Structure formats: C-alpha cells, structure tokens
Amino acid sequence: SMHGDLRAGRPTELPFLNEWLVSRGRTLGIPVTAHERLISAIHDFEKDPSRRESTDSTKKTVENLRRAE
C-alpha cells in the first residue's frame, strides 16, 4: 500500500509505523540506523515526484538501506 501511496503522491503510513520505533530505540539506546535511513528515503520520495518512477533512484535507496544493516 505504501508503494501505491508514493506513486499517487499521497502521504504514507511511514510516520505511524517507523518514527515511533526510531524514537523508542533512541530512548533505549538501541541503534535503529536502518529505520532512520528508511524514514529519510521515504520522505525524499514523498517530497520529489520525479523520484517516484525512477528505478535507478529506488535501487540506490535499497543499496543504502542494506549498508545500514
């Protein structure tokens, strides 16, 4: 459903699903780097309509997320 939201230019459920997790992880001192990068990447997609259809951009985002693991 998030992919459909991104393609349609609608906000995603990302804040509800991941920002709480990042906040809680920080509070507990647990690294949440992958979630931080995921939030950043999705917000970038939400802000820039030209990235919504870009396969190269999506691949780079996935590569960056994998490096964070």
Side-chain angles (χ1 to χ4, degrees), residues 3 5-6 13-14 28 33 35 40 42 44 48 66-67 69:
H3 184 256
D5 290 339
L6 288 171
E13 65 271 17
L14 179 72
L28 296 172
T33 308
H35 284 280
S40 178
I42 296 299
D44 287 347
D48 185 357
R66 285 185 178 148
R67 279 189 237 133
E69 294 176 348

Side-chain angles (χ1 to χ4, degrees), residues 20-55:
W20 177 87
L21 182 69
V22 168
S23 174
R24 189 71 176 142
R26 287 178 181 161
T27 299
L28 296 172
I30 300 168
V32 287
T33 308
H35 284 280
E36 290 168 333
R37 289 187 185 192
L38 175 62
I39 290 168
S40 178
I42 296 299
H43 283 311
D44 287 347
F45 276 100
E46 289 176 336
K47 289 182 215 171
D48 185 357
S50 68
R51 294 185 69 183
R52 292 184 192 136
E53 299 297 330
S54 171
T55 303

